[in-house]
Structures are given as structure tokens and as C-alpha cells.
Amino acid sequence: MIERLHIGTHKGLFELARHNGVWDIADVQFLGDPVSAVLAGTDGTVYAALDLGHFGAKLWHRDRTGNWRELPVPAFPPKPEDAGDDPHPWSLNEVLWHMPERQQWSGVAGGEQPGINSVLIDPRDPSDIRIGVSCAGLWASTDTGATWQIINHGMYNEYMPPERREDPIVQDIHLLSRCAARPEIVWCQHHNGVFRSENAGTNWHELTAIRPSKFGFAVAAHPRDPDTAWFVPAVKDERRVPVDGKVVVARTRDGGRSFEVLKNGLPQRHAYDLVWRHALAVDETGELLAFGSTSGGLWISENGGDSWTMPEARLPPIAAVRFAPALH
């Protein structure tokens, strides 16, 4: 059995393979181009999204024979008259785009536009969809996107005025992750803390035991154990670096009541690696994990995070990490 790991970086797509217990680079595609997102299918196919700046966004597909081809770029719908100066009028679907509430969606500091960072599809019912938006909370559709409603309650936003602190539509969700075996269990890394929901995102409670900090971007839910999840904490807002210059992973195995700080094999001195939203991944067993950093660091654990190793590779800044199903 050969395990494979796809790493989207600012300078290409790197595929790592594990053979006889050793991870090594098996293939490189799009060298020099920024690969911002990767999706590996169960049938051996791979999708890679490229963010080429003023050259535009590109989407490539690799079929089961290993051949790559560029897919047509999605066409932009007509720009709504009330869209103002919004430079990116394309969205998930027309219904979501034209909702009156969408005008309340906000971007983050620096003039960025609001972004959908999480799309969760219930494996029991594909028409049931949850999306996480920074900054607009969590939205749900039970009819394959024909209608939407905001559903998150129990979160708070520290940088909003007191009267809007708990307003669902101002919540700054960094990432959502759900347990595949128990889809009603959803974890959230929020700008202001970590949260857990037991009813598919309708109600949330904060997990105050997280350490060494409550800020971060990434979260990965165990695919089988609803009480286990992993986070990569950091110092928030102006700094955005690991706490005390030490790269660690926070793991809970009791539903968030307590957390372990995992550091065996991770750099613990003058390490300033930040982990973006989609740069932490867990495989279908829940034992194999990997995460990559803005400094090009890549660490892999084969025992649920108890210890970590670093492949012999210096990679560009990493935006996305995804496991592919094992090939037999």
C-alpha cells in the first residue's frame, strides 16, 4: 500500500509518496505557479486550483491515468447593480449571491473581500450543505443550495461593538471541520477561539481549555472519533506567529474538555511557521496527519500527532495539504 500526500505551495504542486516507511517527493507539477487549493478524489483523480494573480484563476484536473488538463474557467454572472465596487462578483450560486443579507458580509483587515473557506456536505444527505464565511458566520442549505439561512449561535466576535458581539452574521470563521462518522459534530477555528457543535453548526460552545492559545487558522476533525480534533495555535492579530517561537499542535480526545500540546519532533526554538486554513490534514484512519507552514516546513505524524517527522525537502510556502486515498 502506497500513501500519497498532495502539497499545494506558492511555487507548485508537490506529491509525496510513502514507501517502506519513508516519505519522499514523487512528482512536481506547475513548478513556479501558486497552487492555492487541492482536492484528491477517491478514484485517484486530483483537482488543483492555481491563483495566478493578474493572469487569473485556473483549475486543472488529473485523471486516473495521470494525465492533466485545464478545465474551463467559470463564467462570471452579470454584476448586480447594488454590488458597488466589489471586484469579484462571482459566488457559489445565484441564490446565495442575491440574498439581501449578503450585503452585510464583510472582509477582513486590508480591504479583502469576504471569503467562503469551508464547504461541508453531509455524507448521509448530499442536499444538506454548510458553509463557513469570513466574515459572515455559518450558512446552511437543506435543498442543495436552493435556499440558505444563517444558523450559528453561541460564537462571539471580540473586535465588533458590544451590541453586535454575538450577532451570527459578523462571526469570523477561519475553518470548519466535521467528523465523517458523526456529521452532526462540527469543530470551528474562529478568529476569537475554538468552538464545537453537536447539532451540525446550529449551536456552539467555546472550548476554553485550548492551549497555548485560542487563535489559529487550521482545524482537523478525526474521521471516526467525534471527541478528537487537532488545532495549530498561534499569536493572533498583528503578530501571527507561533507562541514563544515554538511550533506545536493542540489535540483534544475528550470533546474539548482538555487539550494536549504535541511537540515531539516539532521545532521548539526560534520557529516562526504559521499554518494556513487548509494546510492541516488527517487521513481516513485518523492516525496519519500532516501540516505545512508559510515558511515551507512540512511535518508528518503516523501516530495521531504523538510524534512528528520532517521529510528531506525544503518546500515553498505551503497553502494546502491533502491526503490521497491509499493505492494498493
Side-chain angles (χ1 to χ4, degrees):
M1 181 175 68
I2 301 177
E3 297 277 358
R4 293 184 179 271
L5 183 63
H6 298 283
I7 311 294
T9 79
H10 287 196
K11 293 295 180 181
L13 175 65
F14 295 79
E15 182 177 356
L16 279 71
R18 182 176 66 172
H19 186 67
N20 294 330
V22 178
W23 287 93
D24 198 4
I25 294 177
D27 190 28
V28 180
Q29 296 288 336
F30 313 111
L31 188 61
D33 293 333
V35 178
S36 57
V38 182
L39 179 64
T42 58
D43 57 355
T45 60
V46 179
Y47 291 88
L50 281 63
D51 183 359
L52 301 177
H54 59 280
F55 290 109
K58 306 292 183 182
L59 181 63
W60 285 75
H61 174 258
R62 189 184 75 182
D63 61 26
R64 281 178 278 186
T65 66
N67 294 317
W68 288 92
R69 68 182 180 92
E70 184 178 353
L71 301 180
V73 178
F76 286 85
K79 184 175 181 178
E81 295 181 358
D82 60 351
D85 295 325
D86 189 340
H88 304 292
W90 183 74
S91 65
L92 179 65
N93 64 24
E94 290 285 343
V95 174
L96 193 63
W97 176 258
H98 289 293
M99 286 192 314
E101 298 92 337
R102 196 195 61 80
Q103 299 302 318
Q104 300 180 52
W105 293 17
S106 63
V108 294
E112 297 180 16
Q113 300 299 312
I116 298 173
N117 54 57
S118 308
V119 179
L120 306 181
I121 299 176
D122 193 323
R124 303 164 301 187
D125 179 7
S127 66
D128 193 310
I129 306 169
R130 304 286 187 272
I131 63 171
V133 186
S134 180
C135 308
L138 190 154
W139 293 78
S141 173
T142 58
D143 49 17
T144 322
T147 60
W148 295 89
Q149 62 176 337
I150 193 165
I151 64 171
N152 55 290
H153 298 279
M155 297 177 174
Y156 63 91
N157 192 329
E158 292 176 337
Y159 58 76
M160 291 300 291
E163 64 273 15
R164 299 205 65 192
R165 186 175 186 268
E166 298 180 7
D167 189 339
I169 205 170
V170 304
Q171 300 308 315
D172 191 351
I173 291 175
H174 282 184
L175 195 68
L176 302 170
S177 185
R178 82 187 320 163
C179 176
R182 292 272 304 279
E184 70 274 14
I185 303 297
V186 184
W187 306 79
C188 175
Q189 175 64 69
H190 188 286
H191 187 91
N192 299 131
V194 298
F195 298 83
R196 184 173 186 263
S197 171
E198 297 181 355
N199 55 6
T202 300
N203 301 102
W204 297 85
H205 63 274
E206 186 179 10
L207 308 178
T208 58
I210 183 76
R211 55 193 178 95
S213 73
K214 64 181 183 178
F215 176 81
F217 288 97
V219 54
H222 195 292
R224 301 176 182 176
D225 182 358
D227 290 332
T228 297
W230 296 265
F231 300 81
V232 187
V235 180
K236 76 184 182 84
D237 296 334
E238 295 87 354
R239 296 181 181 178
R240 302 195 177 193
V241 295
V243 178
D244 298 326
K246 301 177 181 180
V247 176
V248 301
V249 173
R251 178 181 65 193
T252 179
R253 292 192 285 194
D254 57 10
R257 291 187 295 275
S258 66
F259 282 83
E260 304 165 85
V261 177
L262 310 175
K263 58 185 179 181
N264 186 11
L266 300 177
Q268 297 297 292
R269 186 172 182 271
H270 289 298
Y272 304 105
D273 300 74
L274 186 65
V275 179
W276 287 137
R277 289 175 171 85
H278 303 119
L280 168 67
V282 59
D283 80 337
E284 58 191 7
T285 70
E287 290 297 315
L288 189 58
L289 291 101
F291 71 94
S293 79
T294 55
S295 302
L298 175 66
W299 293 273
I300 300 173
S301 173
E302 299 184 16
N303 51 18
D306 288 337
S307 61
W308 301 83
T309 58
M310 190 175 191
E312 292 186 12
R314 293 299 304 161
L315 298 175
I318 295 171
V321 174
R322 287 294 179 268
F323 282 104
L327 300 178
H328 297 269

